Amino acid sequence: MSIFLALPPPPPPDFSPAFSNVVRILNCDVMMHILRTILQRAVELETHLWTEAMIQMVLHLLSLGLLEEKQQLQRSPEEEVTFDFYHKATRMGSSALNAVNVLMLLEKIRRVPQLEAQKDTINWILQMFDTVKRLREKSSLTTVTATSGSEATKGDESTQDKEKAERKRKAEAARLHRQKIMAQMSALQRNFIETHKLLYENTLEAQGKEDAIMEEESMSSAIDYSRIALGPKRGPSVAEKEVLTCILCQEEQEVKLESAAMVLSACVQKSTALTQNRSRILELSGDTLDPLFMHPDLPCGTHTGSCGHVMHAAYVLISMCPLFLNIRWFFDEDADAVAQILSLARWLEIIIVRISGYSVKNAKGEKQNLPAFANKGMGNSALEFHSILSFGVQSSAKYSSSIKEMLILFATTIYRVGLKVAPNEADYRIPMMTWSTCAFTIQCIENLLETEGKPLFGSLQNRQHSGLKALVQFAAAQRTTSPQVLIQKHLIRLLGVLLPNFKVEDTPSLLEVDMFHILVGVVLSFPSLYWEDAVDLQPSSISSAYNHLYLFHLTTLAHITQIVVSSATESPTAQSSDNSEEARSAQSFCREVCHQDIPGWLVWDCVRKGIMPYLRCAAIFFHYLLGVSPPEELLQVSEEGQFKALCSYLSLPTNLFLLFQEYWDTVNPLLQRWCADPVVLSCLKGKSIAIRYPRKRNSLIELPEDYSCLLNQASQFRCPRSSDDEQKHPVLCLFCGAMLCSQNTCCQELVNGEELGACTSHALQCGAGVCMFLKIRECRVVLIEGKTRGCLYPAPYLDEYGETDPGLKRGNPLHLCRERYRKLHLLWQQHCIIEEIARSQETNQIFFGFNWQLL
């Protein structure tokens, strides 16, 4: 017997005779149409027309209907039961709208990856359908037995006719479904051939000249390369026609660059969900903050989330995210020719010449802090300065005025919320904040997927998928609304971390930056190097392929160096006889760079484990930027297969140290400069400690199983600022475990001229304004956002009846419910605390609100 983890609703109570017909609402035709429509939308993956909450409500109503029919069948014979929920849910109609019944739709949505969390509930409902069916068959069989033999024969014949009709109907439905799938596949094939017409014709000509064996090898090679995101072997990205429906006016619109903007509602918030050092003091105001470089302990980032609802830009009021800018990447056929010329060394030389020319040009005779190479005679030739354009350029995308307006609005919102400053569309830090929120949001999603044990692709909720896709495309397009000279200056500073030639006074050390933030920044700002005074250009698909490949390889080499340096002082806790190629390469690298004899297996183990979050984040970023489908292994949970698939998708060797060997002549000078930095030298000598990789996954604090332990802990707490022995409102921060004295004047603090309570002021530092507390003497959780908003939330402690005890009025023993505490953890990691507060305030409107500022 299967055991389901679903929590179905309890059997509905009987209505009094006067209200007994209320249950007929569940099996009326209108209700069936609503249920069928929502399930049909989920099956067809029309993500903008349904949400997971809607599916939950549909499943709840189905459960109630089946439970009601089961109770009536158990009490009365079938002929007396008029509630026919089962028959209507399994009935087929003749129109196109109800050609598939509810039961068939349930079987289909069980395989939808976005509804993995509802799988147990769906299985339980399908089991209930089977239970009700058996009850009806049992009742019918009893009736047939009691009748005469002739009537029984007629009944058997009628049943056989029904079964034949049902089998015929199912066969016809299966045939129509196969036809629909084949039509979709044919349309996709035609679309792909039209998009890559020249490539298709060249392939046919090449096949005509080769024998059958060579043809098979060529085809297998093409299949292998179709799942690679970077470099000359990048797979295809077919942009399909996209028609969206505005949730407010229900008007449909095709997504085009020249059309009016369609937007997603977005929630932008500061976050400390990934911080590795919660004791770090955060700057409450960002007036003087430089957000270009993120520290590797991720003290505070800007997270952008979305509910997934699409609307026209005309309805925008605040905090909206431009949606689906539909950036297309097409690949040319000259990649092999370019590969023979554009090596990493040649690419770096071209970039240095280009930036040198820009630096001299922008100086205009004034003495500026230029990189060291700017005065070495490079870039004087106009031919050399323009050589970057020789590998392919194209005109920049032309966005409609509506889209540009939304790009500026949302970028300014991110800048205002992320830095806690007044809006200023001309501030030079706006592009920095755009890249930063893109990188930080991807890191949060990767962290969430890893924590929940879900595959990297295919398991995101619809709103997460839509929001992330829109955010990456927005970050790529925002560059077009800023002065290109400003973007170039930011790019040069970012490259200063990777290429010491560009290093200036304020460039941080290799160990003082988060490398994924560097990757996102350099990739999104790099097209600014193609800007010319007379014409607005951007790199072609071939140029972009090599730019992305070499930028990613450079940041990956730097990140491997970070991991090796930070783990150089680590002592092995166990011994291993691993003498693999990776271990030998790792040991050789350590001797060359760190001048230390560390076991190769230990170094390789540290590198492989430490680089996984970075590779996972990079795969998500390039997937949503370029649209190349990921390998099948990344749609599953497999640690061994995942590493190989990530390396394949990102054009990396599985032995990562071979990357150093491939580029050794070019990278060796960079390694010498990286390791000569005082911060790196201090770490190698053991005088300082760097961030270890992989970073630890944050979670809420450990709570005792028995609630009485918390009560004892609260009774022993004494506020250091008060002489009063009695503390009326002790609260526990679930982020860091600090015990605070809430709603008492003794712990109020003056912050920016405002009196704040202990919880509110603590939340500003611990959670960047968003925090979660447990009021111990009331057994309630308090959610706080900012200085003026908050709500109460059920505590994760339950009594023996599975109920909470807010206010500790019943006095029953309480024990920790792990599942409820896990939901609190997900509420935090999914950045849904603000959403929960808003929902609570909508449903529980209080005329005389609580003064959250003094909590």
Side-chain angles (χ1 to χ4, degrees):
M1 180 178 178
S2 301
I3 299 177
F4 298 114
L5 300 177
L7 187 62
D14 293 332
F15 283 99
S16 61
F19 294 94
S20 59
N21 288 329
V22 171
V23 297
R24 295 185 180 275
I25 295 176
L26 287 171
N27 70 328
C28 69
D29 292 339
V30 174
M31 178 64 74
M32 285 298 162
H33 178 72
I34 293 173
L35 298 179
R36 189 186 302 111
T37 300
I38 295 175
L39 292 176
Q40 184 70 37
R41 290 174 177 176
V43 168
E44 295 175 356
L45 296 180
E46 297 184 34
T47 57
H48 58 287
L49 297 179
W50 63 277
T51 64
E52 192 171 0
M54 293 169 63
I55 300 298
Q56 289 176 349
M57 286 186 266
V58 168
L59 298 179
H60 183 78
L61 291 173
L62 289 173
S63 302
L64 288 178
L66 292 170
L67 286 170
E68 176 67 30
E69 185 167 359
K70 177 185 175 183
Q71 289 184 155
Q72 292 194 22
L73 288 171
Q74 289 175 338
R75 289 196 300 260
S76 308
E78 183 186 16
E79 61 270 11
E80 297 180 10
V81 175
T82 59
F83 186 79
D84 56 349
F85 186 88
Y86 172 82
H87 285 310
K88 290 193 174 182
T90 56
R91 183 179 61 188
M92 299 289 294
S94 58
S95 66
L97 292 177
N98 56 359
V100 183
N101 61 36
V102 172
L103 184 59
M104 295 170 64
L105 291 172
L106 281 175
E107 292 282 1
K108 291 182 179 180
I109 69 170
R110 185 166 56 171
R111 298 186 291 271
V112 175
Q114 292 90 335
L115 295 175
E116 183 67 25
Q118 311 300 327
K119 187 174 181 180
D120 292 330
T121 303
I122 295 172
N123 289 335
W124 182 86
I125 293 175
L126 292 173
Q127 190 182 63
M128 279 298 300
F129 267 105
D130 189 58
T131 301
V132 173
K133 179 182 178 181
R134 288 199 304 270
L135 285 173
R136 284 194 172 275
E137 290 174 348
K138 180 180 179 182
S139 179
S140 300
L141 182 62
T142 303
T143 305
V144 169
T145 304
T147 59
S148 64
S150 61
E151 291 177 346
T153 303
K154 292 180 181 179
D156 290 339
E157 293 177 354
S158 176
T159 303
Q160 291 176 1
D161 291 340
K162 287 182 180 180
E163 290 178 353
K164 289 181 179 179
E166 181 69 13
R167 285 196 298 269
K168 184 177 181 181
R169 180 194 57 76
K170 289 183 177 180
E172 180 66 16
R175 185 183 65 81
L176 293 175
H177 182 66
R178 285 195 299 271
Q179 287 182 352
K180 182 179 178 182
I181 295 299
M182 293 302 296
Q184 290 176 348
M185 291 175 63
S186 299
L188 288 174
Q189 289 173 352
R190 288 194 300 271
N191 188 10
F192 181 83
I193 292 174
E194 286 296 325
T195 306
H196 300 78
K197 190 174 182 180
L198 181 58
L199 177 62
Y200 183 70
E201 292 174 354
N202 291 344
T203 303
L204 289 178
E205 293 176 4
Q207 288 177 346
K209 299 176 183 179
E210 298 174 354
D211 56 15
I213 298 177
M214 295 301 294
E215 288 179 13
E216 293 179 3
E217 293 177 353
S218 176
M219 291 299 293
S220 63
S221 176
I223 294 173
D224 292 338
Y225 293 157
S226 66
R227 300 299 178 98
I228 297 177
L230 301 178
K233 299 178 182 178
R234 188 172 71 195
S237 171
V238 181
E240 299 179 358
K241 179 180 177 181
E242 204 154 14
V243 179
L244 303 176
T245 303
C246 175
I247 194 175
L248 299 178
C249 67
Q250 294 300 304
E251 180 183 342
E252 292 186 348
Q253 176 182 310
E254 183 180 352
V255 177
K256 294 182 179 179
L257 297 183
E258 62 273 11
S259 302
M262 297 287 283
V263 300
L264 287 171
S265 57
C267 176
V268 183
Q269 58 180 297
K270 297 183 72 174
S271 170
T272 61
L274 303 180
T275 182
Q276 304 296 293
N277 183 10
R278 204 163 287 279
S279 61
R280 177 189 286 267
I281 298 178
L282 303 180
E283 295 187 34
L284 300 182
S285 175
D287 291 330
T288 60
L289 187 65
D290 181 10
L292 185 61
F293 300 105
M294 172 67 78
H295 195 276
D297 65 10
L298 307 177
C300 181
T302 305
H303 181 274
T304 300
S306 174
C307 64
H309 293 141
V310 186
M311 66 195 77
H312 285 106
Y315 297 107
V316 173
L317 295 178
I318 189 170
S319 296
M320 298 292 173
C321 178
L323 172 72
F324 301 136
L325 299 175
N326 208 21
I327 300 173
R328 298 189 180 195
W329 300 92
F330 298 107
F331 204 67
D332 301 327
E333 290 74 41
D334 302 325
D336 293 336
V338 175
Q340 298 175 4
I341 304 172
L342 198 58
S343 62
L344 176 63
R346 175 59 178 157
W347 180 81
L348 282 176
E349 181 183 348
I350 292 173
I351 300 310
I352 290 175
V353 169
R354 186 71 170 180
I355 294 178
S356 174
Y358 274 131
S359 301
V360 174
K361 187 177 180 180
N362 295 333
K364 294 181 180 179
E366 299 179 5
K367 186 177 180 181
Q368 293 190 2
N369 188 16
L370 299 179
F373 63 83
N375 300 316
K376 293 184 179 180
M378 301 181 69
N380 294 329
S381 168
L383 180 63
E384 286 295 319
F385 177 72
H386 293 288
S387 61
I388 192 175
L389 308 179
S390 62
F391 296 98
V393 293
Q394 59 186 349
S395 299
S396 294
K398 303 298 181 183
Y399 302 116
S400 65
S401 58
S402 173
I403 291 180
K404 286 185 176 180
E405 183 181 348
M406 290 299 100
L407 289 171
I408 295 173
L409 173 62
F410 186 58
T412 307
T413 301
I414 293 173
Y415 158 80
R416 174 180 59 82
V417 175
L419 294 179
K420 298 295 182 183
V421 293
N424 181 8
E425 294 180 4
D427 195 288
Y428 72 96
R429 295 174 294 179
I430 287 180
M432 303 180 188
M433 292 303 300
T434 300
W435 306 329
S436 180
T437 190
C438 178
F440 186 80
T441 303
I442 290 175
Q443 287 178 318
C444 289
I445 288 179
E446 183 278 329
N447 178 75
L448 181 66
L449 292 175
E450 178 67 21
T451 302
E452 293 190 72
K454 293 182 177 180
L456 192 61
F457 294 101
S459 57
L460 288 180
Q461 297 178 8
N462 292 326
R463 68 176 193 172
Q464 292 173 322
H465 169 73
S466 300
L468 188 55
K469 178 181 178 182
L471 179 62
V472 174
Q473 293 182 354
F474 154 74
Q478 191 276 332
R479 173 187 60 82
T480 61
T481 64
S482 299
Q484 295 306 294
V485 175
L486 175 64
I487 304 296
Q488 290 167 5
K489 290 180 179 179
H490 295 334
L491 173 62
I492 293 173
R493 291 185 60 201
L494 289 167
L495 288 175
V497 177
L498 303 173
L499 307 175
N501 282 341
F502 298 130
K503 195 168 186 178
V504 292
E505 292 181 1
D506 61 344
T507 302
S509 164
L510 186 72
L511 297 181
E512 296 175 325
V513 294
D514 175 64
M515 205 50 65
F516 181 66
H517 277 72
I518 296 290
L519 173 66
V520 172
V522 294
V523 168
L524 297 183
S525 61
F526 200 83
S528 65
L529 290 184
Y530 290 77
W531 175 75
E532 293 280 325
D533 292 332
V535 61
D536 191 8
L537 300 175
Q538 68 180 15
S540 66
S541 56
I542 288 182
S543 298
S544 295
Y546 280 97
N547 293 339
H548 294 158
L549 177 69
Y550 288 143
L551 287 171
F552 175 68
H553 280 183
L554 273 177
T555 53
T556 302
L557 292 170
H559 190 45
I560 293 174
T561 307
Q562 280 183 325
I563 298 172
V564 172
V565 171
S566 64
S567 60
T569 58
E570 186 172 321
S571 302
T573 57
Q575 295 297 324
S576 174
S577 58
D578 183 12
N579 194 29
S580 62
E581 179 187 357
E582 292 86 352
R584 293 194 300 270
S585 300
Q587 189 170 29
S588 174
F589 177 81
C590 267
R591 289 172 180 169
E592 182 71 27
V593 176
C594 303
H595 306 292
Q596 298 183 21
D597 193 10
I598 304 175
W601 65 267
L602 177 62
V603 178
W604 171 242
D605 185 64
C606 291
V607 168
R608 177 164 176 169
K609 292 179 179 177
I611 204 172
M612 280 296 290
Y614 166 82
L615 294 182
R616 286 163 56 89
C617 289
I620 293 174
F621 172 63
F622 284 115
H623 168 69
Y624 284 102
L625 180 67
L626 306 176
V628 180
S629 299
E632 292 293 336
E633 292 82 356
L634 297 182
L635 300 173
Q636 306 166 1
V637 180
S638 171
E639 185 174 349
E640 181 67 27
Q642 180 181 219
F643 178 74
K644 293 181 179 178
L646 285 171
C647 291
S648 172
Y649 187 61
L650 298 171
S651 297
L652 290 173
T654 52
N655 180 2
L656 298 175
F657 290 98
L658 293 180
L659 206 59
F660 287 95
Q661 298 179 21
E662 180 182 353
Y663 302 134
W664 184 251
D665 292 339
T666 305
V667 173
N668 188 33
L670 299 181
L671 285 171
Q672 302 303 324
R673 298 284 293 274
W674 289 342
C675 295
D677 187 272
V679 177
V680 178
L681 287 174
S682 176
C683 182
L684 288 174
K685 294 176 181 178
K687 296 180 180 179
S688 61
I689 300 177
I691 291 292
R692 298 293 177 87
Y693 299 93
R695 302 181 185 96
K696 64 180 177 67
R697 307 281 182 178
N698 289 338
S699 61
L700 297 179
I701 63 170
E702 276 293 325
L703 290 179
E705 290 290 333
D706 196 328
Y707 194 74
S708 60
C709 297
L710 281 178
L711 291 174
N712 293 334
Q713 185 179 347
S715 65
Q716 298 172 7
F717 170 72
R718 293 294 179 268
C719 177
R721 297 187 180 183
S722 173
S723 58
D724 188 358
D725 290 339
E726 183 181 1
Q727 303 300 324
K728 297 181 179 179
H729 302 284
V731 297
L732 182 67
C733 175
L734 297 182
F735 288 1
C736 66
M739 186 79 75
L740 305 172
C741 181
S742 173
Q743 295 177 254
N744 281 358
T745 57
C746 60
C747 290
Q748 290 181 3
E749 295 186 8
L750 192 66
V751 179
N752 294 335
E754 293 182 279
E755 284 284 348
L756 301 180
C759 292
T760 309
S761 60
H762 178 81
L764 292 176
Q765 287 296 328
C766 187
V770 179
C771 209
M772 188 182 295
F773 300 95
L774 176 64
K775 301 186 78 170
I776 298 179
R777 292 186 178 174
E778 297 181 21
C779 195
R780 286 190 178 99
V781 170
V782 179
L783 307 180
I784 287 182
E785 187 263 317
K787 303 173 185 176
T788 57
R789 298 210 308 167
C791 73
L792 298 177
Y793 194 85
Y797 282 90
L798 306 177
D799 60 16
E800 59 180 329
Y801 305 105
E803 298 177 344
T804 59
D805 189 7
L808 298 178
K809 296 178 181 179
R810 290 195 294 269
N812 294 332
L814 300 175
H815 297 279
L816 181 65
C817 175
R818 293 289 176 183
E819 181 60 25
R820 289 208 174 201
Y821 200 43
R822 189 183 73 87
K823 289 182 178 179
L824 274 175
H825 170 78
L826 292 179
L827 193 70
W828 170 42
Q829 289 294 318
Q830 291 175 347
H831 293 82
C832 291
I833 292 180
I834 295 180
E835 179 184 337
E836 184 63 36
I837 292 173
R839 184 184 295 111
S840 175
Q841 290 183 342
E842 282 184 5
T843 56
N844 303 311
Q845 295 185 1
I846 303 175
F847 291 103
F848 302 98
F850 182 79
N851 190 355
W852 297 101
Q853 183 172 327
L854 299 178
L855 183 66

